[in-house]
Amino acid sequence: MLDGLEEDLLEICKNLEKSLIQNFIASHSYATSENRKQMLKMMKKERIEAIKSTCERYVEEFSIAAKGKWVTQAKQLFKETTSRLANCLVPLEK
């Protein structure tokens, strides 16, 4: 009878330790991981926005400095590249 009681007590202690580990260590680790993922997404979004903004400013300044048919084509190419960057942001928001 004492052997069965001792085994039950050891099992209860073991389950309690598992629960404590899950509640304190695993949840903290998971939260840290999620925070890092969110931070990386934000950093990527900010960098893409900065590149996009720089491209738009470059096109504006480029059209002031240069003239001609090739300039129109170059501006169009820059605008297409900028729109591709805008499309890169869509998966980040999911």
Side-chain angles (χ1 to χ4, degrees), residues 19-34:
S19 294
L20 288 172
I21 289 171
Q22 275 184 327
N23 290 333
F24 292 105
I25 296 173
S27 63
H28 176 70
S29 178
Y30 177 77
T32 301
S33 173
E34 288 299 311

Side-chain angles (χ1 to χ4, degrees), residues 9-73:
L9 188 58
L10 285 174
E11 186 68 28
I12 291 171
C13 286
K14 186 175 160 183
N15 288 336
L16 181 61
E17 285 179 11
K18 283 182 181 180
S19 294
L20 288 172
I21 289 171
Q22 275 184 327
N23 290 333
F24 292 105
I25 296 173
S27 63
H28 176 70
S29 178
Y30 177 77
T32 301
S33 173
E34 288 299 311
N35 286 341
R36 284 184 184 146
K37 287 178 188 176
Q38 289 298 323
M39 187 171 45
L40 287 174
K41 282 182 183 181
M42 286 175 38
M43 288 172 59
K44 183 177 180 182
K45 184 177 180 178
E46 288 173 1
R47 295 227 169 108
I48 289 174
E49 284 293 332
I51 291 170
K52 187 176 151 186
S53 174
T54 302
C55 285
E56 289 171 354
R57 277 197 318 267
Y58 182 78
V59 169
E60 290 171 10
E61 293 173 8
F62 184 70
S63 62
I64 294 170
K67 302 290 179 198
K69 208 176 214 183
W70 68 275
V71 175
T72 307
Q73 292 173 346

